[in-house]
Amino acid sequence: MIAVLCCTTVSFAQLLTSGPLRPTQVVDSNRLNDLTALRFSKQDQLENVVKGSIYLFKDWDNSSVIEVDNKKYLLKSVNYNILADQFQFKVSEDSVFVFDNTIISEVKLNNKRFKQFYFGLDEGDKYCEVLFEGEKSSLLKKYDVKFDRAQPNPLMLKDISDKYVKTTKYFLIDNNTKTISSIKMKKKSLAVLFDDKFADVDSYVKKNKLSLKKEGDLMKVFKYYNSL
């Protein structure tokens, strides 16, 4: 059963607290400082002067289902801050609540499903979109954003601005060993990953005229591989 989190100008229903989510609890806006599982922060003011965005979606008109302790909670006005690797709830035009990553097991944002995966000591746990989850392996999509500083050219008359550039990478997680491998949407990369099953996979790709450069077709390939 999905509980509904309602937001008004005076209260937040069933909001995250320092303990488990409590469906009956109502937190008054005057007690926001008591919340320890959520952090209040100003949105990056650079968003007003830098082109592009650090957020996955252009606007905040999004629906989410947040899972904590096997309970699911529905919340509107949520977005994924790629740069900070955080899911955030918009409170006002210049303020957001930041969800505590350590207590969230899964987030469904619009038609995308996110879970955390361990990427080693350097990166730690990072959110990835789960494109396909099979018995043998799962296909993940990791979002990144970088700050691209403009290099003004006095000979060019067009506007030169700093900007945020979004990128994506694909990863394969072995569900037995829990190891994560970076993959490229190329035949050579999949040949190494699928090993002795690649001949069958390659035949399936050719027969169905699939393109490894298309995300939807790549998901079909992994689904077929997991069925072998």
Side-chain angles (χ1 to χ4, degrees):
M1 181 177 180
I2 296 178
V4 178
L5 281 76
C6 303
C7 172
T8 68
T9 58
V10 295
S11 66
F12 292 90
Q14 306 164 355
L15 211 52
L16 295 179
T17 68
S18 57
L21 287 171
R22 292 190 277 275
T24 58
Q25 185 177 20
V26 175
V27 181
D28 188 81
S29 59
N30 294 322
R31 298 181 59 247
L32 292 181
N33 290 333
D34 295 337
L35 301 177
T36 57
L38 291 177
R39 185 171 75 255
F40 182 75
S41 66
K42 292 288 185 180
Q43 291 195 58
D44 192 344
Q45 296 302 314
L46 286 177
E47 286 274 89
N48 297 324
V49 297
V50 181
K51 290 186 176 181
S53 174
I54 59 176
Y55 290 96
L56 180 59
F57 292 101
K58 184 178 180 180
D59 55 49
W60 291 76
D61 186 22
N62 308 309
S63 298
S64 69
V65 179
I66 299 174
E67 184 173 330
V68 178
D69 294 332
N70 296 318
K71 295 184 179 67
K72 296 180 180 180
Y73 299 82
L74 180 63
L75 185 63
K76 296 281 189 179
S77 301
V78 172
N79 212 332
Y80 175 48
N81 184 325
I82 303 172
L83 187 64
D85 192 36
Q86 297 168 335
F87 286 91
Q88 300 179 348
F89 171 74
K90 190 169 186 178
V91 180
S92 64
E93 287 304 314
D94 64 349
S95 302
V96 296
F97 276 115
V98 179
F99 291 92
D100 185 352
N101 290 349
T102 63
I103 63 175
I104 297 176
S105 55
E106 181 176 304
V107 176
K108 291 181 180 177
L109 187 58
N110 290 344
N111 61 338
K112 299 179 184 293
R113 176 174 169 239
F114 292 86
K115 294 178 71 174
Q116 282 191 320
F117 298 89
Y118 184 65
F119 281 83
L121 293 175
D122 292 338
E123 294 191 71
D125 293 322
K126 295 290 182 180
Y127 278 110
C128 289
E129 181 185 355
V130 182
L131 296 178
F132 173 79
E133 195 168 33
E135 183 177 345
K136 298 179 182 178
S137 60
S138 298
L139 179 63
L140 312 176
K141 183 177 182 179
K142 185 171 176 287
Y143 296 87
D144 288 295
V145 64
K146 67 177 182 178
F147 179 71
D148 188 5
R149 187 171 295 282
Q151 300 297 327
N153 185 336
L155 299 179
M156 299 179 67
L157 299 178
K158 66 178 183 180
D159 178 41
I160 302 296
S161 303
D162 297 334
K163 60 183 177 180
Y164 291 114
V165 180
K166 297 175 187 175
T167 61
T168 57
K169 292 182 180 179
Y170 294 90
F171 292 86
L172 173 74
I173 179 169
D174 187 308
N175 291 336
N176 293 320
T177 64
K178 302 303 179 183
T179 57
I180 297 180
S181 304
S182 175
I183 65 171
K184 295 181 180 180
M185 300 170 77
K186 295 181 180 180
K187 185 174 180 179
K188 289 183 179 180
S189 179
L190 296 184
V192 175
L193 293 173
F194 296 147
D195 196 18
D196 60 328
K197 299 294 184 180
F198 180 69
D200 294 324
V201 173
D202 190 41
S203 177
Y204 172 79
V205 170
K206 293 177 180 177
K207 180 180 179 181
N208 292 276
K209 299 180 180 179
L210 302 179
S211 171
L212 299 179
K213 295 183 178 181
K214 295 180 179 179
E215 189 175 283
D217 285 356
L218 189 64
M219 292 167 64
K220 292 178 182 178
V221 171
F222 273 85
K223 184 177 181 180
Y224 174 74
Y225 168 71
N226 277 266
S227 70
L228 297 175

